[in-house]
Amino acid sequence: MTTADTEAGDTGGELPAVRRDRIVGFVESTRQASVHEIAEQFEVSTDTVRRDLTALHKDGKLTRTRGGAVANSLLNSPDRELRIRQMLQEQEKARIGELAAPLIPNAAVVAFNGGTTTLAVARNLTDHRELTVATNNLSIPFEIPPHSVNNLYVFGGDVRFSSQVTVGFTSFPDVEVPGMVHFDLAIIGVGGVTTEGFSVSNLGEASMMRQMIRRSTTVVIVTDSTKFNRHQFALVAPLDSAHHLVTDSPPPPDVHEALQAAGVQLLFDPPDDELDD
């Protein structure tokens, strides 16, 4: 079947609106599906499926990902699995990682919290050397370029398998003594950015992030634009706790104005490419 096939002709005369409703039901039942799986299920071309998924994503009925779609019901939980979060805003997070990495100088002591956006920054440290890295992100030790790091420390605590982080009091000796642990930079990913500040879904993680922020000379918030005007359960810190915010597109006017008033430097460069297989 080719791109010349009409949408109705793909399914023996079925109207696009009917097919799209059925696609939503299918994706909800399977939780996630690829373009090719949907095309096979509904006996339509992959081009038709891509058009359908784009329309359904715009209507808020499912979430389009690279090569497929994810059910909205799977995304409603703020603690959704890491593998699902990695599928979302993939291009945007990769670009954020590229933009944020140059803010880290060689030989710096850097803290990373958990999340897929901070992981994107770590992946982009290929040109760096002699870093000291401390993190509660259990993926970073396996993803950061080994030649860029002199020392890497993982914070202790309870392991949250769904997001691959540790949460709780750190295992650094004498960490309760002021000044015993200090970072040149903290690279912090958050779940929400509003005029009130930065927030996440978990109290334990919010507490850990506050410690990273307080012990850092420079704080870099990394977050994709879907987090703007989203307020999650636990407030981490006010906007003026950050020095830089790296994202993929400009914030809404109210958040933009609040960030400017707080003295936060914005850095963004939206990707040009569209979602595709």
PDB file of all heavy atoms in Angstrom, residues 241-258:
ATOM      1  N   SER A 241      16.708  30.308  42.862  1.00  0.00           N
ATOM      2  CA  SER A 241      17.761  29.377  43.278  1.00  0.00           C
ATOM      3  C   SER A 241      18.602  28.923  42.085  1.00  0.00           C
ATOM      4  O   SER A 241      19.670  28.349  42.261  1.00  0.00           O
ATOM      5  CB  SER A 241      17.149  28.154  43.964  1.00  0.00           C
ATOM      6  OG  SER A 241      16.365  27.405  43.049  1.00  0.00           O
ATOM      7  N   ALA A 242      18.113  29.158  40.868  1.00  0.00           N
ATOM      8  CA  ALA A 242      18.806  28.727  39.653  1.00  0.00           C
ATOM      9  C   ALA A 242      19.549  29.891  39.008  1.00  0.00           C
ATOM     10  O   ALA A 242      19.134  31.049  39.107  1.00  0.00           O
ATOM     11  CB  ALA A 242      17.817  28.141  38.658  1.00  0.00           C
ATOM     12  N   HIS A 243      20.645  29.561  38.342  1.00  0.00           N
ATOM     13  CA  HIS A 243      21.394  30.549  37.572  1.00  0.00           C
ATOM     14  C   HIS A 243      21.088  30.432  36.075  1.00  0.00           C
ATOM     15  O   HIS A 243      21.084  31.432  35.360  1.00  0.00           O
ATOM     16  CB  HIS A 243      22.895  30.366  37.807  1.00  0.00           C
ATOM     17  CG  HIS A 243      23.299  30.551  39.233  1.00  0.00           C
ATOM     18  ND1 HIS A 243      23.281  29.516  40.154  1.00  0.00           N
ATOM     19  CD2 HIS A 243      23.698  31.653  39.904  1.00  0.00           C
ATOM     20  CE1 HIS A 243      23.673  29.975  41.336  1.00  0.00           C
ATOM     21  NE2 HIS A 243      23.932  31.260  41.213  1.00  0.00           N
ATOM     22  N   HIS A 244      20.857  29.203  35.609  1.00  0.00           N
ATOM     23  CA  HIS A 244      20.551  28.955  34.202  1.00  0.00           C
ATOM     24  C   HIS A 244      19.355  28.003  34.121  1.00  0.00           C
ATOM     25  O   HIS A 244      19.195  27.121  34.976  1.00  0.00           O
ATOM     26  CB  HIS A 244      21.730  28.303  33.472  1.00  0.00           C
ATOM     27  CG  HIS A 244      23.016  29.037  33.590  1.00  0.00           C
ATOM     28  ND1 HIS A 244      23.378  30.056  32.722  1.00  0.00           N
ATOM     29  CD2 HIS A 244      24.044  28.908  34.461  1.00  0.00           C
ATOM     30  CE1 HIS A 244      24.566  30.516  33.063  1.00  0.00           C
ATOM     31  NE2 HIS A 244      24.992  29.831  34.116  1.00  0.00           N
ATOM     32  N   LEU A 245      18.555  28.171  33.075  1.00  0.00           N
ATOM     33  CA  LEU A 245      17.523  27.200  32.736  1.00  0.00           C
ATOM     34  C   LEU A 245      17.682  26.861  31.263  1.00  0.00           C
ATOM     35  O   LEU A 245      17.604  27.755  30.406  1.00  0.00           O
ATOM     36  CB  LEU A 245      16.120  27.721  33.018  1.00  0.00           C
ATOM     37  CG  LEU A 245      14.997  26.679  32.856  1.00  0.00           C
ATOM     38  CD1 LEU A 245      13.858  26.921  33.846  1.00  0.00           C
ATOM     39  CD2 LEU A 245      14.435  26.662  31.429  1.00  0.00           C
ATOM     40  N   VAL A 246      17.936  25.592  30.987  1.00  0.00           N
ATOM     41  CA  VAL A 246      18.142  25.125  29.618  1.00  0.00           C
ATOM     42  C   VAL A 246      16.923  24.323  29.202  1.00  0.00           C
ATOM     43  O   VAL A 246      16.529  23.364  29.895  1.00  0.00           O
ATOM     44  CB  VAL A 246      19.418  24.272  29.505  1.00  0.00           C
ATOM     45  CG1 VAL A 246      19.687  23.929  28.040  1.00  0.00           C
ATOM     46  CG2 VAL A 246      20.612  24.982  30.119  1.00  0.00           C
ATOM     47  N   THR A 247      16.317  24.691  28.076  1.00  0.00           N
ATOM     48  CA  THR A 247      15.089  24.046  27.635  1.00  0.00           C
ATOM     49  C   THR A 247      15.066  24.009  26.105  1.00  0.00           C
ATOM     50  O   THR A 247      16.053  24.336  25.450  1.00  0.00           O
ATOM     51  CB  THR A 247      13.867  24.780  28.223  1.00  0.00           C
ATOM     52  OG1 THR A 247      12.663  24.066  27.903  1.00  0.00           O
ATOM     53  CG2 THR A 247      13.768  26.208  27.710  1.00  0.00           C
ATOM     54  N   ASP A 248      13.924  23.605  25.525  1.00  0.00           N
ATOM     55  CA  ASP A 248      13.850  23.450  24.074  1.00  0.00           C
ATOM     56  C   ASP A 248      13.047  24.534  23.386  1.00  0.00           C
ATOM     57  O   ASP A 248      13.101  24.653  22.167  1.00  0.00           O
ATOM     58  CB  ASP A 248      13.263  22.076  23.720  1.00  0.00           C
ATOM     59  CG  ASP A 248      11.883  21.877  24.313  1.00  0.00           C
ATOM     60  OD1 ASP A 248      11.790  21.587  25.518  1.00  0.00           O
ATOM     61  OD2 ASP A 248      10.881  21.994  23.581  1.00  0.00           O
ATOM     62  N   SER A 249      12.278  25.327  24.122  1.00  0.00           N
ATOM     63  CA  SER A 249      11.520  26.418  23.516  1.00  0.00           C
ATOM     64  C   SER A 249      11.170  27.435  24.597  1.00  0.00           C
ATOM     65  O   SER A 249      11.225  27.117  25.795  1.00  0.00           O
ATOM     66  CB  SER A 249      10.250  25.890  22.825  1.00  0.00           C
ATOM     67  OG  SER A 249       9.394  25.280  23.757  1.00  0.00           O
ATOM     68  N   PRO A 250      10.802  28.646  24.218  1.00  0.00           N
ATOM     69  CA  PRO A 250      10.552  29.689  25.220  1.00  0.00           C
ATOM     70  C   PRO A 250       9.417  29.311  26.175  1.00  0.00           C
ATOM     71  O   PRO A 250       8.427  28.695  25.760  1.00  0.00           O
ATOM     72  CB  PRO A 250      10.168  30.904  24.370  1.00  0.00           C
ATOM     73  CG  PRO A 250      10.707  30.629  23.015  1.00  0.00           C
ATOM     74  CD  PRO A 250      10.651  29.142  22.842  1.00  0.00           C
ATOM     75  N   PRO A 251       9.530  29.681  27.444  1.00  0.00           N
ATOM     76  CA  PRO A 251       8.441  29.438  28.396  1.00  0.00           C
ATOM     77  C   PRO A 251       7.230  30.313  28.092  1.00  0.00           C
ATOM     78  O   PRO A 251       7.345  31.312  27.374  1.00  0.00           O
ATOM     79  CB  PRO A 251       9.065  29.825  29.746  1.00  0.00           C
ATOM     80  CG  PRO A 251      10.526  29.955  29.503  1.00  0.00           C
ATOM     81  CD  PRO A 251      10.695  30.303  28.064  1.00  0.00           C
ATOM     82  N   PRO A 252       6.067  29.981  28.651  1.00  0.00           N
ATOM     83  CA  PRO A 252       4.908  30.872  28.534  1.00  0.00           C
ATOM     84  C   PRO A 252       5.247  32.237  29.132  1.00  0.00           C
ATOM     85  O   PRO A 252       6.144  32.349  29.982  1.00  0.00           O
ATOM     86  CB  PRO A 252       3.829  30.157  29.358  1.00  0.00           C
ATOM     87  CG  PRO A 252       4.281  28.745  29.450  1.00  0.00           C
ATOM     88  CD  PRO A 252       5.774  28.768  29.427  1.00  0.00           C
ATOM     89  N   PRO A 253       4.535  33.281  28.715  1.00  0.00           N
ATOM     90  CA  PRO A 253       4.890  34.644  29.147  1.00  0.00           C
ATOM     91  C   PRO A 253       5.005  34.832  30.656  1.00  0.00           C
ATOM     92  O   PRO A 253       5.936  35.488  31.125  1.00  0.00           O
ATOM     93  CB  PRO A 253       3.750  35.492  28.564  1.00  0.00           C
ATOM     94  CG  PRO A 253       3.310  34.725  27.357  1.00  0.00           C
ATOM     95  CD  PRO A 253       3.446  33.280  27.725  1.00  0.00           C
ATOM     96  N   ASP A 254       4.072  34.257  31.433  1.00  0.00           N
ATOM     97  CA  ASP A 254       4.131  34.471  32.883  1.00  0.00           C
ATOM     98  C   ASP A 254       5.371  33.832  33.499  1.00  0.00           C
ATOM     99  O   ASP A 254       6.044  34.421  34.349  1.00  0.00           O
ATOM    100  CB  ASP A 254       2.862  33.951  33.561  1.00  0.00           C
ATOM    101  CG  ASP A 254       2.609  32.471  33.306  1.00  0.00           C
ATOM    102  OD1 ASP A 254       3.110  31.936  32.293  1.00  0.00           O
ATOM    103  OD2 ASP A 254       1.898  31.845  34.125  1.00  0.00           O
ATOM    104  N   VAL A 255       5.705  32.617  33.045  1.00  0.00           N
ATOM    105  CA  VAL A 255       6.900  31.943  33.557  1.00  0.00           C
ATOM    106  C   VAL A 255       8.160  32.650  33.075  1.00  0.00           C
ATOM    107  O   VAL A 255       9.124  32.818  33.828  1.00  0.00           O
ATOM    108  CB  VAL A 255       6.903  30.455  33.134  1.00  0.00           C
ATOM    109  CG1 VAL A 255       8.181  29.759  33.587  1.00  0.00           C
ATOM    110  CG2 VAL A 255       5.691  29.735  33.709  1.00  0.00           C
ATOM    111  N   HIS A 256       8.143  33.085  31.812  1.00  0.00           N
ATOM    112  CA  HIS A 256       9.298  33.798  31.253  1.00  0.00           C
ATOM    113  C   HIS A 256       9.590  35.056  32.061  1.00  0.00           C
ATOM    114  O   HIS A 256      10.750  35.330  32.429  1.00  0.00           O
ATOM    115  CB  HIS A 256       9.015  34.146  29.795  1.00  0.00           C
ATOM    116  CG  HIS A 256      10.237  34.496  29.016  1.00  0.00           C
ATOM    117  ND1 HIS A 256      10.259  34.520  27.634  1.00  0.00           N
ATOM    118  CD2 HIS A 256      11.484  34.859  29.396  1.00  0.00           C
ATOM    119  CE1 HIS A 256      11.459  34.861  27.211  1.00  0.00           C
ATOM    120  NE2 HIS A 256      12.227  35.075  28.260  1.00  0.00           N
ATOM    121  N   GLU A 257       8.556  35.827  32.336  1.00  0.00           N
ATOM    122  CA  GLU A 257       8.733  37.065  33.100  1.00  0.00           C
ATOM    123  C   GLU A 257       9.240  36.784  34.506  1.00  0.00           C
ATOM    124  O   GLU A 257      10.112  37.497  35.025  1.00  0.00           O
ATOM    125  CB  GLU A 257       7.405  37.828  33.159  1.00  0.00           C
ATOM    126  CG  GLU A 257       6.971  38.420  31.823  1.00  0.00           C
ATOM    127  CD  GLU A 257       5.596  39.051  31.895  1.00  0.00           C
ATOM    128  OE1 GLU A 257       5.086  39.209  33.035  1.00  0.00           O
ATOM    129  OE2 GLU A 257       5.036  39.380  30.835  1.00  0.00           O
ATOM    130  N   ALA A 258       8.704  35.721  35.135  1.00  0.00           N
ATOM    131  CA  ALA A 258       9.135  35.377  36.491  1.00  0.00           C
ATOM    132  C   ALA A 258      10.590  34.928  36.507  1.00  0.00           C
ATOM    133  O   ALA A 258      11.347  35.265  37.424  1.00  0.00           O
ATOM    134  CB  ALA A 258       8.236  34.276  37.058  1.00  0.00           C
TER     135      ALA A 258
END
